[in-house]
Amino acid sequence: MKIWIALLLATFAVGVSAQDQCICDSFKWATCDGPPCQCSVTVGTGEKQNLDCSKLIPKCFLMKAEMFRARHGLSTRTGGKPVDTAFVDNDGIYDPDCDATGAFRAKQCNNTEVCWCVNSAGVRRTDKGDKSLRCEKLVETYWVRLELKHKAVNNAVDAAKLQDAVATAIQNRYSFDKTLVKEVQYDPKARLIVVDVQKEKGDRKADLSRMAYYMEKDVKVLPLFKDQAKFEPSVDGQKLEMENILVYYVDEEAPTFTMKRLTGGVIAVIVVVMLAVAAGLLVLFLKRRREQRYSKAEPRELEAM
Ligand SMILES: *[C@@H]1O[C@H](CO)[C@@H](O)[C@H](O)[C@H]1NC(C)=O
């Protein structure tokens, strides 16, 4: 009889402690209440966004939460291109419009009159326009290149083992399918690890933007997880701590920025060509005039004779 009571009490205790576990592992700024356990975060101008803490939180919700924190003075955020059409996030954070699932809306205005179109990672992929700007659809980012610089280590890193080490670390920390880690290049001198994470075009299941964002925060020592662990691939028992990260985005469709960086060069070329043409025309004009003078002079000379 005593054993039964003890068992009953034990199960009851387990039940209670399970309810005490109403915490959000995947987002440290979330608050949770229950039962039933529901986690949420304050976003935008003070609304509550409910969260599913059993997974990584959509980047769009994360950015909204950060904007709220930034507005309220709470703590927050701060290579080479894989292909020509790849681009980086030069704008930084804004207060995004998310749909109910946490996906970015294609058009973003940051609560202002200035709008632009974003990809599925919420990164601007067009020039900025006014409120009338049209963004046909949300273009998917199917490839991200993560340029990671690791801190100095004592022993040389075996490049051949690096890909699996990085893929495993990504899978473990971000519950992300490691088979999407397609290529890892290593430059020991620069301590640079270039990681290409790529899914099939048309794949709408894997979300590269979440994984990349959580990693960015980990490397910048501002982890979003409750636990303050690091993204630290381990090669031959040696842990590689990261000190820097740069993310390139490649979308299923090329972005439509006007080529701002090219303009300097293009203008120089145009100026040179125009100067050459002007010089050529001047030479032609002078030659013509001289020829005309001769042809006018000739008849007179003949008459005089
Ligand atoms: C969005 O607006 C905030 C101010 O509310 C500003 O700090 C931030 O730089 C803006 N972001 C962009 C990308 O325009």
Side-chain angles (χ1 to χ4, degrees), residues 38-39 41 43 48-52 55-62 64 96-106 108 138 207 210:
Q38 175 63 62
C39 300
V41 68
V43 296
K48 283 239 176 307
Q49 174 64 56
N50 284 341
L51 303 174
D52 176 2
K55 298 186 264 189
L56 298 191
I57 309 302
K59 180 178 173 184
C60 196
F61 288 164
L62 295 172
K64 279 197 92 65
D97 260 341
C98 316
D99 75 8
T101 67
F104 286 93
R105 297 217 187 268
Q108 298 290 342
L138 186 69
D207 181 359
R210 279 182 223 197

Side-chain angles (χ1 to χ4, degrees), residues 63 67 70-71 89-95 109-112 114 116 124 128:
M63 280 173 63
M67 275 310 287
R71 280 207 196 99
D89 182 358
N90 285 318
D91 296 355
I93 191 155
Y94 57 92
D95 188 17
C109 307
N110 196 22
N111 305 318
T112 66
V114 180
W116 58 90
R124 184 162 66 87
K128 290 183 178 175

Side-chain angles (χ1 to χ4, degrees), residues 113-124:
E113 298 296 311
V114 180
C115 302
W116 58 90
C117 307
V118 299
N119 58 22
S120 62
V123 178
R124 184 162 66 87

